[in-house]
Amino acid sequence: MSNSQKQRLLDKQTYQKQLVQKKQQAAIERQQALIQQKLAQIQNAEQASHPQMKKKRNTKWYLMALLLIVAMFLPYPQVIVYEKLGVVAESIYIPSRFGSKDFMLDTNADVQIDNASRWLYLCTTLQNERQCNRFDIVEQRGFFSAISLYLETSP
């Protein structure tokens, strides 16, 4: 009989403790292997979902680019301050795009602007007779001025 077998027979309590420890160590190793397997599955699932995330991000960029291109072609309103015989008025002017007519928000008259001479023509047709009034353009202001003027005058 070998020495280890003799020890085992003589000290049963110690042998039982070692046996329990070995079983516990084996159970811990099985749990760690299971945890590693689950982590690998989670990582694989994340890697599989990343192309979808990139696709969503690309879609957002394409949508923003499309909105920017559309905004470039939309007419931008302006505030035009005009004057005739000492009477000064201001109105929101929206230039034509895509074949529509220029117009001002506060008049039904046809609007024509001569930027070289800085004149504004407001023309109306009454009883088949076209009448135009010429105004001097004092000032032209941009988009944000038009928005603020609209918000000030709207009820």
Side-chain angles (χ1 to χ4, degrees):
M1 215 180 242
S2 72
N3 227 3
S4 65
Q5 289 175 344
K6 287 181 188 177
Q7 279 294 343
R8 195 174 41 194
L9 290 174
L10 291 175
D11 194 11
K12 272 193 169 186
Q13 284 183 338
T14 307
Y15 175 72
Q16 291 296 329
K17 285 181 183 179
Q18 288 176 353
L19 189 60
V20 168
Q21 284 178 351
K22 286 181 184 179
K23 287 181 182 179
Q24 288 175 347
Q25 187 66 28
I28 290 172
E29 288 174 1
R30 282 192 305 268
Q31 287 177 349
Q32 287 178 344
L34 184 63
I35 290 171
Q36 291 297 329
Q37 183 182 10
K38 293 289 185 183
L39 283 175
Q41 288 175 351
I42 291 170
Q43 288 174 348
N44 289 339
E46 285 179 0
Q47 289 175 352
S49 68
H50 279 296
Q52 292 173 352
M53 296 286 273
K54 288 181 181 178
K55 188 175 182 180
K56 287 181 183 178
R57 288 182 188 155
N58 288 342
T59 305
K60 287 179 186 177
W61 284 109
Y62 291 139
L63 183 61
M64 288 180 63
L66 179 66
L67 289 174
L68 181 65
I69 289 170
V70 168
M72 287 175 29
F73 290 109
L74 288 177
Y76 292 108
Q78 301 174 359
V79 173
I80 295 185
V81 179
Y82 54 97
E83 179 261 323
K84 183 174 186 175
L85 300 173
V87 177
V88 178
E90 66 181 0
S91 181
I92 298 174
Y93 165 73
I94 300 178
S96 69
R97 296 283 168 113
F98 309 115
S100 65
K101 295 191 318 187
D102 297 354
F103 66 95
M104 289 189 161
L105 290 182
D106 61 351
T107 182
N108 290 332
D110 294 332
V111 178
Q112 297 173 0
I113 292 182
D114 184 3
N115 282 325
S117 304
R118 296 191 51 86
W119 286 338
L120 168 69
Y121 294 97
L122 295 177
C123 301
T124 57
T125 305
L126 296 172
Q127 299 172 353
N128 294 331
E129 190 175 315
R130 186 168 172 91
Q131 297 176 349
C132 293
N133 292 315
R134 184 179 77 186
F135 298 89
D136 293 325
I137 295 177
V138 176
E139 181 182 6
Q140 286 181 308
R141 291 181 286 192
F143 176 74
F144 294 108
S145 296
I147 297 297
S148 66
L149 179 64
Y150 179 76
L151 293 175
E152 287 173 11
T153 59
S154 64

